[in-house]
Amino acid sequence: MPAGFLVLPAVRAFLGGPLPAHEQYVPLPGSSMHVAVVEAWPAQPDGPSPKAAFVLRANGAPDGALTAALAEAIRGADPDARCLGSPEHGTPNVAGIGGAVVIGFAGGRDPRPACFVTWDPKRSTIDVTRRDLLATDAARDALATGASWSARPSASARATFHASSAFVEFAGPARPAQLMAATLPGSGLLLVYVQSGGRYVDERDPGAGFEAKVFVHDPSRGAIDAGRTVELGDGLSGPTASCGGLGTVSALRATDAAVTVEQFYVPGGAHLNCSTLVRWDARRKLFDVRPLGPVVDTASAAFDREREDLGELDAGALALWKAGRRSEAIASWRSALQDGRRLLDEGEICNNLGFAYWAIGDHASAERVLLECEQQFPERPAIQLNLGDVYRDSGRKAEAVARYRRFLGMPISPRQQEIAEKRLRELGAAR
């Protein structure tokens, strides 16, 4: 990676402000505000991760006075800093319980300290009390479930928070979620893949990953070639779209003649593993971008024709899904499952249908389809990940944790492992 790459203006503009290692938001009952509990990246690779709580107005801007008052109230109620945890401890859980925001740790059998944050509308003040939660305490169950995804502020409010001076000062410099580079043979240029982290391409489809970009860096000038970056981005947009876009890139692999951009789209099955070849046309001084097609699992020749038929149905449904025509996509997947054939590709189709139901919030249908899919195709890891997401968003933490852990015990890619481990951390059940 070129020295100083992350501070180049184009890269800084893409990454935006700093992003946290972990963040949770819960509405503050009786007010229009949210309490945000944020964990920053450690200053050193093996160092502690600082945590802080902020009070956010409705537009996402931190209220400086109330944030300071909250910090002071937490220190007064919790002088040994056990609710937020010392810097060496894990990330606390946050949940709305009754008329309070509760911050604490849910795991283990011993009594766990928790801070109860309440808003007094008459005095316009924040109050904090601390008490130890027994294993049988209902608040422990609520903390285990964690903050509700639907209760978060809007994307624009979170962007306002991330851009604020208070957040920037706490979170430190911007860091990409993923950074990869490969030299393009014959060009003298470096292709650098940067994944923003924290900004999903589509929040309804986390499998599509975070916003990402491939920069073209010219080492001879120590600068990004803006024109070439746009040219390559245009060339990659079509081939990578069939696998969820650039947010699903898992590797850049350089050979003697080209760079291969590999993708893995988590919600899908075999044919959603895609590759795109990038070559340098020295004569025309242009990028030559060619899709290599999906990586399809091999199967016996007897299934080839029928697998192709089902694959075409699945590909058509995926195209509808990406175009926002979600009800039509679901109808197409349901039709594919109803033709009576029990083939390898059907595991992919039923998994995609279950994922689609989850994405539109129909958790009951998603669970039903995925459990049926699991009975027929118990070896498919993606089913476990999707079931974990269904149970997580249905408030069934124990079942979600079990599915994520089962997924981690199956043959999966490093990217899949990272996603499942993040889910467990968010549930306070890190491995």
Side-chain angles (χ1 to χ4, degrees):
M1 190 64 60
F5 177 81
L6 291 177
V7 298
L8 293 174
V11 181
R12 293 181 65 182
F14 172 72
L15 288 174
L19 292 168
H22 192 73
E23 58 188 330
Q24 298 177 78
Y25 302 84
V26 176
L28 181 60
S31 77
S32 61
M33 298 176 289
H34 277 74
V35 172
V37 174
V38 181
E39 178 180 6
W41 295 100
Q44 301 296 328
D46 296 324
S49 299
K51 293 109 177 165
F54 296 83
V55 179
L56 309 185
R57 304 188 192 104
N59 66 352
D63 187 306
L66 288 177
T67 295
L70 175 59
E72 182 63 27
I74 290 177
R75 282 193 295 269
D78 183 34
D80 51 353
R82 297 185 64 202
C83 293
L84 279 173
S86 65
E88 294 79 14
H89 292 166
T91 304
N93 300 78
V94 185
I97 304 174
V101 171
V102 182
I103 305 170
F105 294 84
R109 296 185 177 181
D110 297 334
R112 293 298 176 105
C115 286
F116 288 69
V117 181
T118 55
W119 172 252
D120 185 332
K122 292 184 179 179
R123 295 184 298 143
S124 295
T125 58
I126 283 181
D127 297 312
V128 177
T129 58
R130 193 189 100 169
R131 66 182 176 88
D132 289 342
L133 303 180
L134 301 176
T136 56
D137 198 309
R140 284 278 283 270
D141 293 335
L143 276 176
T145 303
S148 169
W149 180 271
S150 62
R152 299 197 313 167
S154 67
S156 61
R158 296 198 305 277
T160 298
F161 175 43
H162 290 159
S164 68
S165 58
F167 177 82
V168 171
E169 182 179 350
F170 170 73
R175 297 165 184 253
Q178 195 170 20
L179 193 64
M180 298 180 286
T183 299
L184 183 61
S187 70
L189 300 172
L190 191 67
L191 308 187
V192 186
Y193 174 82
V194 182
Q195 194 180 76
S196 65
R199 301 197 308 266
Y200 281 112
V201 173
D202 182 352
E203 289 203 356
R204 297 166 298 181
D205 182 3
F210 298 128
E211 292 179 11
K213 188 171 183 176
V214 179
F215 290 92
V216 178
H217 184 267
D218 185 347
S220 67
R221 297 188 296 119
I224 289 171
D225 188 320
R228 296 290 188 197
T229 296
V230 171
E231 177 190 338
L232 181 59
D234 290 343
L236 288 170
S237 61
T240 59
S242 61
C243 246
L246 285 175
T248 67
V249 170
S250 58
L252 298 182
R253 301 196 186 279
T255 65
D256 292 338
V259 170
T260 303
V261 179
E262 298 182 358
Q263 294 171 264
F264 185 82
Y265 187 26
V266 174
H271 89 272
L272 291 179
N273 295 271
C274 304
S275 294
T276 304
L277 196 70
V278 180
R279 297 179 187 269
W280 177 250
D281 187 329
R283 184 178 62 83
R284 296 187 299 157
K285 305 289 186 186
L286 295 172
F287 295 110
D288 180 11
V289 181
R290 301 182 184 183
L292 295 179
V295 178
V296 183
D297 291 340
T298 58
S300 66
F303 286 137
D304 283 351
R305 178 65 255 165
E306 290 181 325
R307 289 182 74 245
E308 183 177 336
D309 292 341
L310 281 176
E312 289 174 358
L313 282 169
D314 192 30
L318 283 166
L320 291 169
W321 183 264
K322 291 180 174 63
R325 298 160 62 182
R326 300 196 162 191
S327 60
E328 295 174 66
I330 288 174
S332 180
W333 274 314
R334 289 175 61 184
S335 175
L337 288 178
Q338 290 169 358
D339 74 356
R341 287 173 286 183
R342 292 293 180 265
L343 303 172
L344 178 63
D345 290 76
E346 190 181 7
E348 185 174 333
I349 291 171
C350 64
N351 178 61
N352 286 343
L353 177 59
F355 166 79
Y357 277 130
W358 165 79
I360 65 172
D362 187 348
H363 297 149
S365 294
E367 181 185 17
R368 174 180 52 79
V369 169
L370 289 168
L371 287 176
E372 291 174 357
C373 197
E374 180 188 29
Q375 288 181 353
Q376 299 176 57
F377 306 95
E379 77 287 350
R380 298 186 72 89
I383 297 171
Q384 302 302 322
L385 181 64
N386 287 335
L387 277 169
D389 288 346
V390 169
Y391 293 140
R392 176 198 62 185
D393 293 346
S394 302
R396 296 154 65 179
K397 180 194 172 182
E399 291 168 275
V401 168
R403 292 294 179 172
Y404 292 141
R405 287 180 173 161
R406 186 179 302 175
F407 177 72
L408 287 168
M410 302 176 81
I412 57 176
S413 71
R415 173 75 183 279
Q416 289 176 300
Q417 179 178 338
E418 177 185 333
I419 289 172
E421 289 178 344
K422 180 181 178 183
R423 300 279 206 275
L424 287 172
R425 288 196 301 272
E426 290 171 344
L427 292 173
R431 299 175 78 189

